């Protein structure tokens, strides 16, 4: 019997994952939590085989930071990261940490139970493509990598100078990327662009979660 912990602050998602685990043969749901803050405490008290965890949670540490802690405590515990956010940095960071599998809630290349079973057999399951999201007049994959880097910093409210300093590029280059993104999307200003990018999850400027692509 494989012991599982589910962590997701969204009630509907958490209940769905609970139902999947409870209905699957050979799995035992230890806990369904809305935060990863005390996960290390649970790991010292219980034998855990699998953790299914969201990335972005409203309170406490994010799922990738928690995953990194888990792997330091016990690298044999398998982790499946689940998210509805198409932020490209999440997959890169998850691989670096050693997260076994990654599953998008809205765009499912395989059912979660299949991903669980294959992960527990030793496979590493990652999506072949990142979900394509419309933002203004274009889709997320119409941005260049360089534009995404600038856009990610833009969502934090950083100025052109701050973005330039962070990315080691000139202020003029930042302005050029912002201008091109406004022309592509049709948004009236950088504030509207940043808000829509953040809400859609295309980029999320939280340095604790996302590393530069």
């Amino acid at each position: 019997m494989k012991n599982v912990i589910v962590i997701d602050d969204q009630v509907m998602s958490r209940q769905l994952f609970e139902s999947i685990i409870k209905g699957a043969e050979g799995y035992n749901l230890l806990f369904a939590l809305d935060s990863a803050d005390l996960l290390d405490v649970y790991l010292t008290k219980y034998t855990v085989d699998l953790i299914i965890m969201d990335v972005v949670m409203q309170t406490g540490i994010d799922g990738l930071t928690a995953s990194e802690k888990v792997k330091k405590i016990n690298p044999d515990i398998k982790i499946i990261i689940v998210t509805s956010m198409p932020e490209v940095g999440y997959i890169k960071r998850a691989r670096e940490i050693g997260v076994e599998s990654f599953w998008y809630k809205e765009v499912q290349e395989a059912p979660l139970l299949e991903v669980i079973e294959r992960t527990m057999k030793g496979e590493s399951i990652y999506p072949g493509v990142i979900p394509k999201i419309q933002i203004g007049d274009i889709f997320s994959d119409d941005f260049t990598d360089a534009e995404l880097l600038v856009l990610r910093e833009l969502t934090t409210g950083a100025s052109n100078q701050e973005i330039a300093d962070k990315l080691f590029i000139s202020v003029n280059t930042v302005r050029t990327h912002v201008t091109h993104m406004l022309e592509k999307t049709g948004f009236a200003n950088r504030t509207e662009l940043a808000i829509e990018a953040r809400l859609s999850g295309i980029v999320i400027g939280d340095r604790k979660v996302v590393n530069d692509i």
Side-chain angles (χ1 to χ4, degrees):
M1 187 71 70
K2 303 297 184 182
N3 289 327
V4 182
I5 292 179
V6 168
I7 306 174
D8 195 316
D9 66 341
Q10 296 182 0
V11 175
M12 290 184 65
S13 293
R14 190 169 65 248
Q15 289 177 343
L16 171 63
F17 301 151
E18 286 182 54
S19 176
I20 290 172
I21 296 301
K22 288 178 179 178
E25 185 177 352
Y27 294 93
N28 172 53
L29 180 66
L30 282 176
F31 301 101
L33 310 173
D34 61 3
S35 168
D37 283 4
L38 299 178
L39 182 56
D40 53 345
V41 176
Y42 286 96
L43 297 184
T44 62
K45 294 184 177 181
Y46 300 92
T47 298
V48 179
D49 300 290
L50 172 66
I51 298 171
I52 301 172
M53 181 157 48
D54 195 7
V55 178
V56 180
M57 286 175 270
Q58 296 300 312
T59 60
I61 64 174
D62 62 86
L64 290 175
T65 299
S67 295
E68 191 168 22
K69 290 185 175 182
V70 169
K71 288 301 183 181
K72 289 179 179 177
I73 294 171
N74 186 348
D76 292 331
I77 296 175
K78 297 188 183 299
I79 301 173
I80 299 175
I81 286 291
V82 296
T83 185
S84 59
M85 299 293 184
E87 161 62 75
V88 294
Y90 288 165
I91 287 182
K92 179 177 183 291
R93 182 67 180 134
R95 289 187 186 276
E96 291 173 345
I97 291 169
V99 169
E100 279 75 16
S101 296
F102 197 103
W103 189 78
Y104 284 117
K105 296 178 183 179
E106 274 75 25
V107 183
Q108 304 168 13
E109 295 184 10
L112 181 58
L113 182 57
E114 177 184 330
V115 173
I116 291 171
E117 292 177 340
R118 291 172 62 186
T119 299
M120 296 310 296
K121 290 178 181 177
E123 290 188 59
S124 182
I125 312 299
Y126 274 75
V129 295
I130 296 168
K132 185 166 65 172
I133 305 296
Q134 185 166 4
I135 175 169
D137 297 334
I138 64 171
F139 287 92
S140 50
D141 59 354
D142 291 320
F143 290 117
T144 67
D145 287 350
E147 288 170 346
L148 287 171
L149 289 175
V150 171
L151 184 56
R152 184 178 293 122
E153 299 303 330
L154 201 65
T155 64
T156 70
S159 67
N160 285 348
Q161 185 63 63
E162 290 170 332
I163 295 172
D165 292 343
K166 177 69 72 68
L167 300 180
F168 301 103
I169 58 179
S170 71
V171 173
N172 284 338
T173 298
V174 175
R175 290 197 189 102
T176 298
H177 285 315
V178 172
T179 298
H180 287 167
M181 287 188 287
L182 290 175
E183 291 173 348
K184 286 180 177 182
T185 59
F187 292 132
N189 54 61
R190 60 190 284 139
T191 301
E192 186 177 359
L193 172 63
I195 290 173
E196 292 299 326
R198 177 80 189 199
L199 290 176
S200 67
I202 292 172
V203 286
I204 299 178
D206 183 348
R207 310 314 297 175
K208 293 180 181 179
V209 179
V210 179
N211 287 347
D212 288 347
I213 58 175

